[in-house]
Amino acid sequence: MKALEEYLKKNRTQHLNELTKFLQIPSVSALSEHKEDVRAAAKWIEQSLNDTGLDKVCILETGGHPVVYGEWLHAEDKPTILIYGHYDVQPVDPIELWETPPFEPDIRDGKIFARGASDDKGQTFMHMKAIEALLKTKGKLPVNVKFLIEGEEEVGSIHLDSFVEENQELLKADVLVISDTPMLEKGRPAICTGLRGLSSIQIDVKGAKGDLHSGLYGGGVQNSVHALVQLLNSMRDEEGKILIEGFYDQVQDLLPNERKQLEELNYDEEIVKKELEVVELFGEKGYTMLERTWVRPTLEINGIYGGFQGEGVKTVIPSEAHAKITCRLVPDQDPDQIATLIENHIEKNKPAGVTITTTRFDSGKPFAAPVENEAFKIAANAYEKVYNVPVAFTRMGGSIPVVETFDRILKMPIILMGFGLPTENFHAPNEHFHLENFDKGLLTICHFLEDVNQISAKK
């Protein structure tokens, strides 16, 4: 391992220069104007995997943005590790809140700032460099490796389900590893054993044929913004409990031992308040912050707009109003069923004087991993060798929709080995990645690949 450490130290500047070039590509999968940028990122990955020394590296088409595949399968009788990541990123709005341009990476205060630095270009890139380090210092890998890196994770992996279904033999492996989750906190690594699912809907409210003068028509015609606010307010009470009929029907209460395991993590809510600069935390009564964000479902308004948005006042009754909603779901909740329940609620609670339409967007099923497999212990030991503290087994409030697909179709252990921190602003302005975890993460991945060759390979 000493040769590996020396190699990584010697090549650190070069690796960060490469990561900078990767982060400069504005591969925003949600915006059609960035379609060619997304493909440019795929080509960058393809070239990088070739340079790393992998075989059969290729860009494979889907019904949308492509995936990049590569393999190294020369470790006879050893297990095969499938590494999944994504090269697409979230939109950058609001751009004015970025301290430095989102696609001009800047290293300061021991962090690299750029869109995708933590989610997920930086973490995916680490696996590529760990493989490179092993090949350069040892001439071979201790296990067989396959890479699958996609370009649609940030829009719900909408074409990856069918790709996985159609390419089961290509993707066959003994363990799937993903680095797209956070550690518990600085210096406290975590293996994530559960993800919440996702259901998202846009609500469009239409009143009069156009905006109306509020003096001439105010009090006589429904205001679309008022109607939308009334409707949204009917979905959740003042303590955060969701009022959609049937929403909680499939939600299982925490068992006493599960609640105890969360308590033993000693999660400090006061630190969270300080980091977020909020006076108090908020959420469903009777649950802790971890319980609310890991094992309870949510309904959140992600955006609401309508009427006059400019400086000053314009006295109109808006003709239209719009809202975007996402629900984070827990095991046994089905995203399509939740969307139907919301649509039913909208129909029952529709304010007078408007028409309402809905559009479904991203969805994904929740995931919970059985951790009895030996590979989980090996991953935990790899972290502990580098960070010198016990690993926390956690859940995550976010969603990686394709994880449930991998679990259902490929039927292999899925280890979520994240190296980001919850405070790194993924999906927000000033996203960044701590270089301390870039350095330690590379070593952790190398330890894992060295040790996971102990498990039995599928025949």
Side-chain angles (χ1 to χ4, degrees), residues 22 25 38-61 66-71 87 124 128 147 149:
F22 189 24
I25 305 172
V38 176
R39 183 165 289 274
K43 291 179 178 178
W44 191 94
I45 290 278
E46 180 186 35
Q47 184 61 54
S48 185
L49 290 178
N50 272 315
D51 293 344
T52 296
L54 268 65
D55 307 320
K56 297 183 180 178
V57 179
C58 56
I59 292 176
L60 299 174
E61 300 300 330
V67 302
V68 187
Y69 176 84
E71 63 183 33
Y87 62 83
T124 297
M128 296 158 60
F147 275 89
I149 307 176

Side-chain angles (χ1 to χ4, degrees), residues 159-172:
H159 294 98
L160 201 60
D161 281 13
S162 57
F163 180 88
V164 173
E165 184 73 51
E166 294 164 8
N167 292 276
Q168 294 182 50
E169 189 61 31
L170 179 72
L171 302 177
K172 182 179 177 181

Side-chain angles (χ1 to χ4, degrees), residues 354-411:
V354 294
T355 58
I356 299 178
T357 57
T358 59
T359 306
R360 298 186 185 188
F361 286 101
D362 303 357
S363 69
K365 293 183 178 180
F367 166 76
V371 298
E372 296 81 12
N373 189 278
E374 182 67 19
F376 283 88
K377 297 177 184 178
I378 293 170
N381 288 337
Y383 273 117
E384 290 170 14
K385 287 177 181 179
V386 178
Y387 285 87
N388 297 312
V389 295
V391 167
F393 286 88
T394 66
R395 295 195 188 187
M396 189 179 82
S399 309
I400 307 176
V402 76
V403 170
E404 188 276 338
T405 301
F406 284 134
D407 181 54
R408 175 170 41 84
I409 296 176
L410 299 183
K411 303 184 187 309

Side-chain angles (χ1 to χ4, degrees), residues 81-202:
I81 311 303
L82 175 62
I83 299 168
Y84 163 84
H86 66 91
Y87 62 83
D88 65 319
V89 299
Q90 282 277 328
V92 299
D93 307 272
I95 187 68
E96 66 273 10
L97 296 184
W98 286 81
E99 293 180 22
T100 52
F103 297 111
E104 296 179 19
D106 183 54
I107 294 177
R108 59 184 187 271
D109 303 323
K111 311 163 192 173
I112 184 165
F113 287 78
R115 174 57 88 226
S118 182
D119 180 18
D120 180 43
K121 286 182 176 179
Q123 297 198 61
T124 297
F125 178 79
M126 288 164 58
H127 284 277
M128 296 158 60
K129 294 299 106 176
I131 295 297
E132 174 191 292
L134 287 166
L135 286 172
K136 293 291 185 182
T137 58
K138 299 178 179 295
K140 61 181 182 179
L141 298 179
V143 291
N144 300 295
V145 169
K146 296 178 179 180
F147 275 89
L148 177 68
I149 307 176
E150 70 152 321
E152 293 187 330
E153 195 276 342
E154 299 293 8
V155 290
S157 299
I158 49 181
H159 294 98
L160 201 60
D161 281 13
S162 57
F163 180 88
V164 173
E165 184 73 51
E166 294 164 8
N167 292 276
Q168 294 182 50
E169 189 61 31
L170 179 72
L171 302 177
K172 182 179 177 181
D174 298 285
V175 178
L176 171 61
V177 174
I178 302 173
S179 294
D180 193 15
T181 52
M183 306 200 310
L184 186 61
E185 59 188 21
K186 181 178 172 61
R188 295 188 68 186
I191 295 175
C192 180
T193 64
L195 299 165
R196 289 193 291 190
L198 180 70
S199 183
S200 57
I201 286 182
Q202 178 168 314

